[in-house]
Every structure is written in structure tokens, then in C-alpha cells.
Amino acid sequence: MILTEMKQDLYYVLCYTRLPINEDIYSPKLAYSMHLAYSEDGVHFNELNHNSGVLFAKSTDNPDGTLNAKSLKNPYIFTMADGSFGVVAVRTEADGLEEMHSKGSVLFFITEDFLQYKEMGLIPLKDDTYVNEVKCRYDVSQKKYIIHWSDTEGKYYQNVVTDIKQFTKISKAEQAEPFILDKTITDIEGIVLGNVIQIPKKVAYRLINRLTVPQNIKIEVPSKIEVSSEDSLKKVKAVAVYSDGTRAEKRIDWDTSMIDWNKTGVYTVCGNIHQEHYAFPVAINRADPCIGKWKGKYYFIATNDADNNHTLNIREADNIPDLVDAKEVKILDTTMYEHLGNLLWAPEFHIIGDDLYIFHAGTPGAFEKEQSHVMKLKTGGNPVIATDWIMPERVMKKDGSYLYGEAGITLDMTCFEQNGSIYVIWAQRQFFPVDQGSWLYIAKVDARKPWMLITDPVLLSRPEYGWENNHTFVEEGPFALITDKKIFVTFSGAMVDTTYTVGLLSADKDADLLDPANWMKENYPILTSRSVIGEYGPGHNAFVMDEDGTYWNTYHARAGANQPRSAGIRRVHFDIDGYPVLDLIEEKDLDISLAKVSATVIVNHATAIRQNYKAAVCEEQKGTLTEVSYSVRNYINQSRQLVTNQSISEEEAGRKTVLGEEIIKKCAVYLPAGYDEADKSTKYNVLYLLHGVGGNRYEWSAGNEKHDGYNVICNLFDNLIKNGDIEPLIVIFTEGRSAYDWEDTSFNIDGTNMLGFYYFDYELRYDLIPFIEAKFNTYANIADNTEADISYNRLHRAIGGLSMGGMQSLNLGLGGYRCDSAAYTNREPKWSNGLDTTVEVVGMVDLFAFVGAFSNAPTSSDGEHLGSSIAANGHKLELLYITCGDADGIAYQDGFSKAVKGLANAAGNKIGDSYSVLIKGGVHDHNVWYNGAYNFSRLCFRASYGLMRTYEISI
């Protein structure tokens, strides 16, 4: 089933446990957990999560700090009164035997999505007998939960409770009629049946997509590609679409042998979707692998199992694939330093400031003295030269004492930067007076001396679930993966054998990371021996980004149950919620039958408007220009407050936010020839064009010239569509003042109409775009807001503007500054016109993948700031097109030049095409703006072509 095509309103979910299959394959700690399967018809069920558990019972605590592992049996899922879901199950000892402390009770969980669960505790039913099977339902007529259960002696009971979360208010057990759970026939391996319920499509969609490995179902490549050089064509990316609706960019290996790059021409070019191939293993006897990038080269390092962990060796290459066969060079061994005489473990590369470090563990001799160390590369040093590394420093606490003394060990320390602070997470194991197992801790360190903690260690996580305390109680090997929305930390659990697994912690980027309550731990592992056939005990992974912006996971596993630990490499995919997918194998990552692609390549070295494109087309090919009204609830009122119906903080807005009445605004809309409101199957891209400081929705169409009696801007779009330069699109000519007096076109620095220009983003996001996408037949639908939907929608919207509208496209679109009159900021104005900057804008790169600015106004933010905002955004800006005339006395120096300087470099790999087009002799008029709209629209709504040259053209 293609999961994006789920059409039913309800789906079936089956819960179950499994029969154990010896300790090495599927031990009781794994089998005695809740598993899930789904069905469309309630008869044919498909296992989820590789037929592995998704809900595990937490361990319990002993007075000495050790943990008691627990398991669960006979889970039962039910719908709760508020529409969420509950799970009741029998808690057992780890091996599935009766557990004394759970006598007469059932373990209760709540969940909204069957992905994350909250363990509420034991519900007491009857304290003199053990529960065998249990079922629960909410009786709507009684407004009570009825818990029906049997004990191990074959007797049946019933308890009733109004609020199932209030354990103390449950009724006494009363004898009840026997019950038999419905038994579904299924061939799922090892299944011990639970029950089946129906869940809504929305819940089923997330559940199935999150717990099913996606597979490539389509490749998208633009049918027409307009470029100027071979380098720019090489940077055109295909988009791989997956069964869950997620997408990933892929490089294309083009055959360009027939192209003459010195001439303008049109060619049909074929290519193959590029895919790196990493056969497992890539390095035998190399565990805990890590790849780092330093000064344009890639480096590989790992624990060396071949010599019993007595050396650390580095490989160097220009790219990740070449590391596989690169020569190893020793940089550290157990003879170099007295305090590191044995067990050199888990090395990782980390860049802090301008320095390269290797975090690793080592001991003078015995395993019980293993401790975390940090080794720094000398300034100007070469990573593959041993003598260029400074002696490793043992990690210390903020008081100058060692991180951990004689009571145990520390190892697997990792490092990451967030919000200006450097954090470390490490594994710490107490051996004396009792072995508590390995736990994860977090702290901040000194950026100049990262072996020195500057905060106290904080306990982050313990091995409380069966999958992470299998054969031993261990959490270790943490590593951070930071995306635009989350900080993910993967870690490994259980014994380093076939039961080794990868778990996941996550936190919001702006959270207090030293507060454990801000971290969410997944109840189930995300990579196990069942994830990829032939890879046993995967774990201790690290992440690296390549030159294309693709994340790769390095990990170790075993090619057989008794084979050595060996390194592997696999691409990191991101699921519908933006969570990492570590088990997308190459065959599912790219369907080889879709790998061959072709496109029409237009080699074009000119950007002047083509001859006759300003002239009117014939009647049947003409688009229409209409006017529509829409309500606005986000605008500046007479008191200079932001009226909003959204949860926008005053800190973000830079002014007081209030509720208020809606206002009615208007915009002009260009609809292409053939647009049919009733034809819902034909969808359109949308381009939003913004006007200047003295203009309105008709400034674009009321230029200083007309051809054949028609507006030039409409003629341009008609001709571009007629000649196949662009797909038919909808163009919105906006009213860019988000203010109660939006119709006031006067130039008044102190006016609310001027202030409204700097708050148009809220109107766009919350009022205009929802209106347009509800009224017209557009590809994008802002009401669809999963990660996959957002990524899809933004590829079908573009925004551009002239003069003041160009400033809005940059400042509001990319993330610059808002402005206000200096009379209200009470500071010296930043510009001679009396305006001053106020607060930073979040930006709208999540809404628009294509941004254009034509003669952008002087209040545009500087390029380095705009580029940094793009780089910090989770979405790639596919196209930035900025143009200006070199004779423009208003915008050239203070607007255009300032905005383009340093922007592309600061944006890094978060920008695709970056055009800065300087028009010789161009002034601040419609000739430049028409040229900008003409070229911008030709480049929108297609794959990015890479960083382009700066064009200088004459019109």
C-alpha cells in the first residue's frame, strides 16, 4: 500500500506479544512487550516495526540504585473517554514469570498515537491473586471504565472506575461472567494475540508511516532545465518521493557529451540518479565508527578491535566514499602515554570554535579505570600526523576534580553546540559498592577547554526498558543529530552482542537541555538486529553531513551472530514527523527501475526579456485579471499594536499583541488561460508579487507602458505560459500594508500604513495564503501541516517584490529585521528616512522555496544576516533571485549591494540557486521589475541548479 493514499476513515490495530526465540535472537525481554500490526479490513494484518515491540514496561528501583528489569504480557488496547487510548497489561518479571509487586494489579499506559506512551502505574484490582488476562472499555451510558479480568486460577472479576487515572477511586473487585478475547487469525511470526480496535485515519496514518520503512516510489526531475554552465547543471537535484510522502534530494549523473556550453541551445540530456553504495561491512573489526569533516576533507576513525583496542587510526579522503579504501594512519597507541595504557575506545571528531578535537576513552590498564579524555589538534596541525595531536586530557568537573573517581568509569563522551553553549553527554557506570549499569549524563563544558565541565553532571537517562537492559544494564554511545526543529540524540543499549540496539532521545532546540524533563525518550529502539537483514547488534553510531547536505549514519554491527564488530554506512532519512530513519536500505532508498531520467536542457546565457513577450497573445490564450476580497485578522491597528488571532508573543512581534475585529482587504489575481474553478484535478503553482512603498495591488499592472492595450505583466505571463517556458500559474498581486489603514498609499514614516509593510508576513501566513489556497485550485494546501506536507507545499509557492516589496521578500521572507519610525523606537534612526530596526523576523522559508527581490528598498537587511537566517532554517531555499539596475540611485548601493554581499556564503548548503543580476543602465522603474518577474518566474517551481554566477545584462 502506498501510505499516502490511505482512503478509509478507520483502520484496525492489533496488539500482541511474541514467543521468545532464545537469548540471542529474540529474548524474553524483547518478546514480552507490546507489538502492533495494522489492517484495512480487520482480517489481513501487517506487522509494524519489523515485528518488534513498541511498548515496554519500565524497570523498578532498588534502594541501592540498581534496577529491576520488568516485562509485560497480555496487553489490551482501548479507546478512552477523551478519544485518546489506553493500554492495560500484566506486568511480569523480565523473564515473563509472575512478579510479586504486581500481584492483583495491572499496568496502565496512556497514548494519543501508539508511538509515545506514558506509564501511569499499577491499577490495584484485588491484592490476593495474580491477574492473568484483562480487558477494559469505557461505557458511555454509565460514563465509567469497566475493567474485566481473570486470575491465574480461572476466576473472573470486574472493577469499575469513573476516572481511570485516579487509581484510589476504583471499586472493589466483584465476580463476573467469563470472557473470551476475540482471536484474530494471522501468520505473524511468534504472535501471542492481544485484541483489535479501530482507530481514526489520522492516527493510523502517523502510526503506520512512522513504524514502516518507506520506499522510493517516484523520482521527480524538471522536464525543462535552463542553465548557463556544466557546473550549474551538475547541481540540479532530483527529488526522490517515498511511500509515506517524504522526499529526499538526489544528485544526478548527467551525460553532457552532446552539449556545446559555448552556445545557446536546446538539448535532450539523459542521466542516472546517483546513489552511493556501501556494502556492509565497510571496515571489519572497526567498532564505534565516526566520520568528521575538517577543512574540506573527510576523516574516519573507530575503535580498533583487531588489536584489542590498543591503537587509534585515521583515514583521510576528499569525500566519504573514498574513505572506504583509504589508508589508515596511526595517531595514538597505548605506549605513548602512561595514563592511556589500554582500551582506547569510541573516538569521535568534534569541532569547537576553530579547533578540532577527538573525544575518546582510555585507561592506564584495567577496564574498571576507563575514563573519558579529550585530545586537541595543534593549531595548523594535520590530523593524520600523530605528533600534531596534543596529549589527551582526562575530563574534569567544574571544581577541578576528575569527572568520576574510583567508584566507576566514564566513556563514550560526545559533544554538540546549541544556542552558544557546548554540551557533552557521556556514559557513566558505577561499579562500587554495586554495579548500577551504564547511565547517560549531560553537562556544559568550557568551549576553550572542552575537557572541563562548567556545570554539574545531570542524569539524563537510565536503561529502564527491556531492550536496553538485555543481557546487561547499559546505555552508551550517545551522538547528537540537530535538525531545524529538534535535537535528537541516538544512543546504544544492552550488551554489545546481537541484542545491541539504538535508542532515541529528543528535545526542542530552545529547551533547557540540562533539565531531564525536557527530553523525550522513545519507548522502543529505532535500530535493532531485526531492522536490516544480515546486520546483528547494530549500534554506537555517529552522523556526518556530506557536500550535498545529506546526513549519513556510521554505525557498527556484526555480519553474523558470532562475527566481529564492523563498521557500516547508511543514509539518514527523515520520516513524516522529521524523526531520523536509520534502516532505509539502498534498495528502498532508490528504486533502480526509476534511476534513469532525462530532461530538456536549455543553455541560455541571456536574461533579457525575449522579443515579443511584452505583446498580447490571442484571446483564447489570455489569462484574466480579477479582484477578490478577503478577511484579515493579523494587522497593525491605530495604536500601533499587532492585532492577531494567533499565539504570537509580544517578544516575537516587538510590540503589544491584542485581539481585534477583522478588516477586509483586496488583492488582484491573475488566472491563466483555461483556468476552471470546477476542475479540481488541475492544480496550479502560486506566485505572490508585492508592490512598492507608494503602490498598491495594481502597481505591477499599471506600469509605464502597455502593449496592444494590455498590461505588460499579464502579457509576460501569457507568453511564458503559451511558449512552454513556465507551467500555468496563479499570480497574486497583494496589498502589502498589513494595517487598518492599508489603502493609504502616502509616504509617512511615522504612519501605521508604513509600519504595516513590516508585518505583512503574519497576514500572508495566517490570512491571505489560507484564503487563496481554499478558494483556488492550488497544489499547496496550508491546512496540511505534517513535515512532508510543509516540504511539498513550499515547493509550489513563490514570492517576489519590487522596491519596498523586494525588501519584504527578503526581510520577511528570509528572516531579516522589522522596522519602525525612530520616533517610536526612541533611538537614532538607522536610515536617513527616519526608520530604525526593531526585532528579527522568523522568516517564511517554510512557506516559500523561491524568493525574488527586484530593486529592493534600502531597509533590506544585510546579506550575511539574511544568509545566516537561511542557514538556520530547516528548509532549503531553492532559489533566491535579486536584481537591480546599476543606475538606480535608490536601491543599488543601500539595498541590492548590501543584501547580496556575503549572503550565499552565509547560507551555505541551505540555498540552491542564488542569482544576483545587475542590469546595466537600469534605474528604479518597471523595466527592471518586469525583467525581474520574467526571469524569476522562469526559474521558480523547479529543482535548484546550484550556485549561479552574477549576471550583468543590458535592456
Side-chain angles (χ1 to χ4, degrees):
M1 178 173 68
I2 297 177
L3 300 178
T4 54
E5 297 178 357
M6 296 171 63
K7 296 178 180 177
Q8 298 176 192
D9 292 330
L10 294 171
Y11 287 78
Y12 297 87
V13 170
L14 163 69
C15 73
Y16 62 98
T17 59
R18 282 185 57 180
L19 297 172
I21 309 174
N22 74 52
E23 282 291 330
D24 292 330
I25 303 300
Y26 210 60
S27 70
K29 284 187 176 182
L30 303 178
Y32 298 141
S33 63
M34 189 176 81
H35 300 57
L36 294 175
Y38 75 94
S39 172
E40 297 179 72
D41 57 13
V43 177
H44 303 93
F45 281 86
N46 301 286
E47 63 198 42
L48 291 169
N49 197 37
H50 303 289
N51 197 18
S52 298
V54 298
L55 176 61
F56 291 76
K58 283 185 178 180
S59 61
T60 58
D61 295 317
N62 292 317
D64 62 4
T66 57
L67 301 174
N68 291 310
K70 302 299 175 186
S71 294
L72 63 82
K73 285 185 174 181
N74 299 331
Y76 188 95
I77 54 180
F78 60 97
T79 302
M80 297 179 63
D82 61 0
S84 62
F85 304 95
V87 182
V88 286
V90 177
R91 191 174 75 179
T92 71
E93 298 291 0
D95 58 6
L97 298 179
E98 292 175 344
E99 194 239 336
M100 181 182 65
H101 296 291
S102 297
K103 187 175 183 178
S105 301
V106 291
L107 193 57
F108 173 49
F109 306 83
I110 57 175
T111 180
E112 295 183 354
D113 52 17
F114 291 101
L115 294 168
Q116 294 177 332
Y117 301 81
K118 183 176 182 180
E119 184 174 315
M120 304 298 292
L122 292 167
I123 300 177
L125 302 176
K126 193 174 187 291
D127 59 11
D128 61 352
T129 187
Y130 284 97
V131 177
N132 180 32
E133 288 190 326
V134 61
K135 59 186 295 187
C136 183
R137 66 181 177 87
Y138 180 71
D139 189 307
V140 177
S141 62
Q142 298 185 55
K143 295 185 178 180
K144 292 181 178 180
Y145 292 91
I146 300 173
I147 304 174
H148 200 175
W149 57 281
S150 65
D151 66 11
T152 53
E153 298 177 357
K155 297 178 181 178
Y156 289 82
Y157 301 90
Q158 180 175 291
N159 298 70
V160 177
V161 63
T162 301
D163 184 353
I164 197 169
K165 299 176 185 178
Q166 299 293 320
F167 300 162
T168 58
K169 297 183 180 181
I170 193 166
S171 72
K172 290 185 178 181
E174 297 181 356
Q175 288 195 345
E177 293 295 319
F179 65 85
I180 299 176
L181 295 174
D182 294 333
K183 298 300 181 183
T184 301
I185 299 174
T186 177
D187 59 357
I188 295 174
E189 180 186 10
I191 188 170
V192 179
L193 285 165
N195 71 307
V196 175
I197 65 169
Q198 288 185 297
I199 61 175
K201 175 181 177 180
K202 184 177 181 180
V203 176
Y205 177 83
R206 282 192 67 233
L207 175 65
I208 297 169
N209 279 302
R210 285 286 303 275
L211 296 182
T212 302
V213 179
Q215 58 186 22
N216 177 218
I217 58 171
K218 183 169 66 171
I219 296 292
E220 294 180 352
V221 176
S223 58
K224 290 184 179 181
I225 301 172
E226 189 165 348
V227 290
S228 62
S229 67
E230 186 169 12
D231 285 343
S232 56
L233 178 61
K234 286 179 180 178
K235 293 178 182 178
V236 173
K237 300 290 182 64
V239 174
V241 182
Y242 295 86
S243 52
D244 60 356
T246 55
R247 304 159 72 84
E249 287 189 341
K250 300 284 187 184
R251 203 184 329 153
I252 305 172
D253 297 325
W254 295 105
D255 177 7
T256 61
S257 57
M258 77 294 296
I259 296 180
D260 183 347
W261 292 105
N262 296 314
K263 296 180 180 179
T264 297
V266 179
Y267 307 87
T268 299
V269 179
C270 297
N272 289 284
I273 304 300
H274 184 87
Q275 185 178 41
E276 303 294 353
H277 176 64
Y278 297 105
F280 180 81
V282 298
I284 298 173
N285 275 312
R286 296 296 183 269
D288 318 327
C290 179
I291 294 176
K293 187 177 184 181
W294 175 250
K295 294 189 174 179
K297 289 188 178 291
Y298 291 88
Y299 297 89
F300 173 93
I301 196 168
T303 299
N304 188 355
D305 283 355
D307 67 2
N308 296 315
N309 316 140
H310 284 293
T311 62
L312 292 182
N313 302 277
I314 285 183
R315 304 180 188 187
E316 178 189 68
D318 292 329
N319 52 63
I320 296 175
D322 287 349
L323 287 172
V324 175
D325 297 317
K327 181 180 73 171
E328 285 193 337
V329 178
K330 183 175 70 176
I331 60 155
L332 183 66
D333 67 30
T334 52
T335 68
M336 292 181 180
Y337 304 105
E338 186 176 347
H339 65 296
L340 293 171
N342 197 12
L343 302 181
L344 299 175
W345 284 351
E348 296 180 3
F349 296 109
H350 291 288
I351 299 172
I352 303 175
D354 296 325
D355 295 309
L356 178 66
Y357 297 86
I358 292 177
F359 284 61
H360 70 93
T363 172
F367 161 63
E368 291 79 8
K369 295 185 179 295
E370 190 82 6
Q371 297 295 340
S372 297
H373 290 75
V374 178
M375 183 166 63
K376 180 180 179 180
L377 183 68
K378 295 176 182 177
T379 301
N382 186 336
V384 297
I385 297 177
T387 55
D388 282 355
W389 290 95
I390 299 172
M391 182 184 75
E393 298 275 359
R394 182 171 167 180
V395 178
M396 295 182 175
K397 292 193 291 189
K398 65 180 185 179
D399 61 4
S401 63
Y402 287 132
L403 177 59
Y404 208 41
E406 300 301 317
I409 64 174
T410 65
L411 67 160
D412 296 357
M413 182 171 281
T414 194
C415 170
F416 65 94
E417 181 179 356
Q418 183 62 19
N419 292 333
S421 295
I422 307 297
Y423 294 86
V424 290
I425 302 178
W426 69 94
Q428 182 168 304
R429 185 168 187 169
Q430 174 188 298
F431 282 130
F432 306 104
V434 293
D435 183 356
Q436 291 182 336
S438 179
W439 301 356
L440 295 181
Y441 287 79
I442 186 172
K444 291 183 183 181
V445 293
D446 186 336
R448 296 163 299 175
K449 295 184 290 184
W451 53 88
M452 290 288 299
L453 270 61
I454 58 174
T455 64
D456 292 326
V458 174
L459 175 61
L460 184 59
S461 182
R462 303 184 301 168
E464 55 196 349
Y465 297 126
W467 53 268
E468 56 185 346
N469 56 49
N470 209 356
H471 295 181
T472 188
F473 286 76
V474 163
E475 286 185 345
E476 62 184 18
F479 201 94
L481 175 63
I482 302 176
T483 68
D484 62 309
K485 301 213 185 304
K486 288 279 187 183
I487 298 172
F488 296 105
V489 172
T490 54
F491 63 93
S492 297
M495 180 72 81
V496 188
D497 55 19
T498 58
T499 66
Y500 209 43
T501 60
V502 175
L504 186 67
L505 292 160
S506 62
D508 292 334
K509 293 180 71 173
D510 294 326
D512 177 2
L513 301 182
L514 297 183
D515 182 354
N518 290 328
W519 290 86
M520 173 67 71
K521 180 177 176 179
E522 300 302 303
N523 195 278
Y524 55 90
I526 63 171
L527 192 65
T528 73
S529 293
R530 291 159 301 287
S531 298
V532 176
I533 295 172
E535 296 185 9
Y536 298 86
H540 205 120
N541 59 313
F543 302 102
V544 62
M545 180 186 288
D546 68 12
E547 58 272 22
D548 292 324
T550 299
Y551 279 109
W552 294 89
N553 178 34
T554 57
Y555 62 98
H556 77 240
R558 302 171 188 269
N562 298 312
Q563 295 297 306
R565 300 188 300 174
S566 300
I569 303 175
R570 186 178 300 116
R571 186 179 76 82
V572 181
H573 191 66
F574 291 93
D575 68 20
I576 58 171
D577 290 336
Y579 279 61
V581 177
L582 304 184
D583 50 359
L584 182 64
I585 60 176
E586 292 177 10
E587 292 78 6
K588 291 188 175 183
D589 191 12
L590 175 63
D591 183 341
I592 198 66
S593 68
L594 304 175
K596 292 188 179 300
V597 297
S598 63
T600 299
V601 174
I602 303 168
V603 179
N604 191 350
H605 298 285
T607 56
I609 297 175
R610 293 177 187 170
Q611 188 176 7
N612 298 325
Y613 269 45
K614 290 183 178 181
V617 297
C618 61
E619 285 299 322
E620 60 269 21
Q621 294 174 325
K622 282 191 177 75
T624 58
L625 190 64
T626 186
E627 186 176 275
V628 294
S629 299
Y630 63 99
S631 63
V632 178
R633 292 187 175 273
N634 296 269
Y635 62 92
I636 297 297
N637 66 12
Q638 193 169 2
S639 301
R640 307 182 79 83
Q641 300 163 326
L642 176 64
V643 175
T644 180
N645 63 347
Q646 304 294 318
S647 298
I648 300 171
S649 69
E650 294 184 4
E651 180 182 18
E652 176 189 324
R655 62 190 57 252
K656 188 175 179 61
T657 58
V658 296
L659 294 173
E661 297 296 322
E662 68 177 29
I663 61 174
I664 303 300
K665 289 184 65 176
K666 295 180 180 181
C667 63
V669 180
Y670 167 87
L671 297 174
Y675 179 86
D676 181 357
E677 183 179 356
D679 181 8
K680 303 299 182 183
S681 64
T682 303
K683 304 294 185 181
Y684 296 87
N685 297 309
V686 182
L687 167 61
Y688 292 81
L689 285 181
L690 283 52
H691 60 76
V693 69
N696 59 17
R697 61 191 179 277
Y698 289 112
E699 183 171 14
W700 274 101
S701 58
N704 54 11
E705 60 176 315
K706 288 190 176 184
H707 277 251
D708 304 323
Y710 290 90
N711 298 316
V712 168
I713 191 67
C714 294
N715 291 348
L716 283 177
F717 290 125
D718 289 341
N719 278 287
L720 286 165
I721 293 168
K722 181 191 80 169
N723 291 290
D725 297 299
I726 63 173
E727 297 294 324
L729 83 170
I730 296 172
V731 183
I732 310 299
F733 300 98
T734 66
E735 288 281 355
R737 302 174 185 84
S738 284
Y740 80 99
D741 53 349
W742 60 275
E743 292 180 290
D744 182 359
T745 61
S746 65
F747 187 87
N748 179 7
I749 291 299
D750 298 332
T752 49
N753 64 334
M754 178 67 73
L755 181 60
F757 276 110
Y758 296 94
Y759 285 86
F760 185 55
D761 52 324
Y762 291 132
E763 177 185 331
L764 262 175
R765 183 181 294 272
Y766 300 119
D767 299 310
L768 182 53
I769 291 177
F771 168 77
I772 293 298
E773 292 176 4
K775 181 174 179 61
F776 298 102
N777 301 332
T778 62
Y779 284 111
N781 182 0
I782 200 169
D784 297 334
N785 56 12
T786 67
E787 285 294 325
D789 293 328
I790 292 170
S791 296
Y792 172 83
N793 288 339
R794 61 190 296 276
L795 294 173
H796 297 285
R797 301 189 197 102
I799 186 170
L802 65 87
S803 193
M804 194 68 155
M807 177 282 298
Q808 289 178 300
S809 294
L810 298 178
N811 288 25
L812 305 185
L814 304 182
Y817 284 98
R818 303 189 195 279
C819 295
D820 196 357
S821 168
Y824 292 94
T825 65
N826 296 315
R827 296 191 302 262
E828 287 295 317
K830 189 171 182 179
W831 291 276
S832 59
N833 61 12
L835 284 173
D836 186 21
T837 57
T838 57
V839 294
E840 287 187 76
V841 185
V842 173
M844 298 185 288
V845 180
D846 61 321
L847 296 178
F848 297 99
F850 313 95
V851 175
F854 323 129
S855 311
N856 50 292
T859 52
S860 302
S861 295
D862 67 83
E864 289 191 3
H865 182 89
L866 294 171
S868 297
S869 295
I870 296 170
N873 195 286
H875 299 280
K876 179 181 177 182
L877 184 66
E878 298 293 335
L879 169 67
L880 177 63
Y881 189 96
I882 308 180
T883 185
C884 188
D886 65 359
D888 187 333
I890 298 172
Y892 176 43
Q893 290 294 342
D894 295 333
F896 171 83
S897 298
K898 179 180 66 174
V900 300
K901 184 179 180 181
L903 190 152
N905 288 335
N909 60 17
K910 285 299 184 68
I911 194 169
D913 291 349
S914 179
Y915 282 78
S916 53
V917 181
L918 189 60
I919 300 178
K920 290 184 177 179
V923 295
H924 205 71
D925 69 0
H926 278 77
N927 288 316
V928 173
W929 304 333
Y930 288 152
N931 180 271
Y934 166 79
N935 283 294
F936 180 57
S937 63
R938 290 160 63 213
L939 296 167
C940 288
F941 310 119
R942 58 180 71 183
S944 62
Y945 307 145
L947 189 65
M948 303 296 286
R949 71 185 69 181
T950 298
Y951 287 92
E952 292 189 6
I953 60 175
S954 300
I955 296 187

